[in-house]
Amino acid sequence: MEAAQALADLTEISAQIEAAVLAKPDGSIVASTTKDEGRAKQLAEAAVELVAAGSESRSEGRNLELVQLQAATPRGSLFVARDARHVVAAITGSRPTVGLVFYDLKTCLRMLEDEEAKADKAAQAEKTDKTEKPAPQEQANVGKATTRRRTPSKKEADEGS
């Protein structure tokens, strides 16, 4: 699944999400539902900064990483969820169903992860196919029937001697 399609699916299934952006951990935009690139960039950078700040404050000697957060205001909320490869941020109106929005964001990330894993596996298989082709002799016999000679049973072998 393409990143833009994943965000389109996200906004389609979650009516509470008004805008969403998918970014890499460095803040570079992968896809966005808004046509305003400046707004998308601000949202992506803010999401990455919030996750980084939250992780720093939580780690205090322990190896804890923040994977989701919500910032709520009277006018609306900002939701952020992340995995190893992506950060997804969404803006909602006031009083959203928090658990449902987080579920939808994480589903978006899982769908992307599954598709990327499939693409990586396919690329690896293609690379392997190009480097490890069977010898021409082996390839010629693949799928062809061969004749098998019947092996005499022990009784037949004893009678024949």
Side-chain angles (χ1 to χ4, degrees):
M1 172 173 293
E2 185 179 304
Q5 183 61 46
L7 283 184
D9 290 351
L10 172 67
T11 55
E12 185 177 319
I13 63 171
S14 184
Q16 298 176 60
I17 295 176
E18 296 171 0
V21 65
L22 181 69
K24 292 185 179 182
D26 65 1
S28 58
I29 298 173
V30 177
S32 173
T33 62
T34 179
K35 296 190 188 317
D36 183 355
E37 289 183 33
R39 183 174 183 215
K41 186 168 178 59
Q42 282 181 321
L43 181 57
E45 289 173 351
V48 170
E49 286 178 29
L50 283 169
V51 168
S55 293
E56 287 173 11
S57 67
R58 290 181 48 103
S59 62
E60 298 175 4
R62 297 179 300 207
N63 190 14
L64 299 175
E65 291 185 16
L66 186 66
V67 294
Q68 69 182 36
L69 66 88
Q70 176 201 11
T73 70
R75 291 180 37 204
S77 292
L78 168 67
F79 288 86
V80 181
R82 66 176 287 274
D83 64 11
R85 293 184 177 190
H86 298 102
V87 175
V88 62
I91 296 173
T92 68
S94 61
R95 303 174 66 178
T97 310
V98 175
L100 187 56
V101 174
F102 276 130
Y103 178 82
D104 291 341
L105 293 177
K106 289 178 182 180
T107 299
C108 177
L109 291 172
R110 275 192 303 274
M111 289 173 21
L112 284 169
E113 184 179 0
D114 291 347
E115 287 300 318
E116 287 176 352
K118 286 178 189 176
D120 290 346
K121 190 174 181 179
Q124 185 64 30
E126 185 176 313
K127 184 178 177 183
T128 303
D129 287 347
K130 289 181 180 178
T131 58
E132 296 179 12
K133 288 187 177 178
Q137 182 71 19
E138 294 172 347
Q139 196 173 17
N141 291 333
V142 173
K144 292 186 178 178
T146 58
T147 54
R148 230 174 112 188
R149 292 176 43 167
R150 184 173 169 261
T151 313
S153 67
K154 185 174 182 179
K155 184 178 177 183
E156 289 173 345
D158 289 341
E159 289 176 359
S161 38

